[in-house]
Amino acid sequence: MAEKEINPSAIPVHVGIIMDGNGRWAKKRGLPRSAGHKEGLTAAKNIVAAASSLGIKYITLYTFSTENWKRTQEEVGYLMGLVKLHLRAEFDFYKKNGIKIDYVGDLDGLPADVKNEILNAKKDTKDFTGTTCVLAINYGARDEVTRGIRKIIDSGMSADMVTEETVTQSLDMPHLPDVDLLIRTGGEKRLSNFLLWQCAYAEFIFSDTLWPEYTKEEFLNDILQFQNRNRRFGAVPDDENTNK
């Protein structure tokens, strides 16, 4: 089993997941897209629990993008309701696993009741010490960076004082570490405007598995694959850097 092979001293600090394939999963079964989203929520809960058991500090789930407003009013409404009801109903799950809820994205663009549920979940779980589950909701990386630039301009900072650290501090969650491992399910191979700044040196894994079918075992295998990669962060390996 992959879990026995995982090196506990080389666990990624931050895993980002683009949970793709809910709609296609439902379509294959002749079900409405809402059924795929509901099943996808179960998969998300299982993976967050697995991340917690491994000691992963942060897991960011691409919950609802700034582009997802283009979907039908019915689907958007269902997704908003799913987020709201899940946050309210799963407190015991968060408590049992020590999971802290946080978010990135423009909450002001969400329905007031959904925004309040997210803020309440963050407040209610703030003292938990396990994995932080970050909801990327009403989120787009370009939007995040654009809003961050506005903050810098509004602060009156001169251009020559702006650094990478300044930009990082202007983002929605400045203390969020860079992504170590980015997983996308559903067979697509693109970032779709997800954590572009934080993914600068992330390792990417693209899975053909539709999100509702993504299991703990596949997640553990992806962690193991991450551990077998050589992360150089732009540097040249020592054996290639030696003149012979």
Side-chain angles (χ1 to χ4, degrees), residues 99-110:
I99 293 165
K100 183 185 297 186
I101 299 295
D102 215 322
Y103 69 90
V104 289
D106 185 5
L107 290 196
D108 290 335
L110 294 172

Side-chain angles (χ1 to χ4, degrees), residues 22 43 53 59 88 94 107 115 187 200 215 238 241:
N22 290 342
S53 67
I59 183 165
R88 185 179 304 172
Y94 303 143
L107 290 196
K115 174 182 176 180
T215 63
D238 289 340
N241 211 18

Side-chain angles (χ1 to χ4, degrees), residues 230 232 234-244:
N230 180 17
R232 300 196 297 269
V236 176
D238 289 340
D239 59 350
E240 293 182 21
N241 211 18
T242 303
N243 293 323
K244 293 183 179 181

Side-chain angles (χ1 to χ4, degrees), residues 145-159 162 166-167 170:
V145 173
T146 299
R147 288 185 285 107
I149 291 170
R150 289 182 187 136
K151 292 176 189 176
I152 294 171
I153 293 171
D154 289 344
S155 73
M157 184 179 294
S158 61
V162 177
T166 306
V167 176
S170 76

Side-chain angles (χ1 to χ4, degrees), residues 112-133:
D113 54 349
V114 177
K115 174 182 176 180
N116 289 337
E117 288 294 340
I118 295 170
L119 293 176
N120 286 337
K122 178 176 178 176
K123 180 180 69 175
D124 293 343
T125 61
K126 64 181 176 62
D127 294 324
F128 295 165
T129 57
T131 298
T132 296
C133 178

Side-chain angles (χ1 to χ4, degrees), residues 161-174:
M161 294 178 65
V162 177
T163 63
E164 288 188 12
E165 178 61 23
T166 306
V167 176
T168 297
Q169 289 302 311
S170 76
L171 300 179
D172 291 342
M173 198 173 164

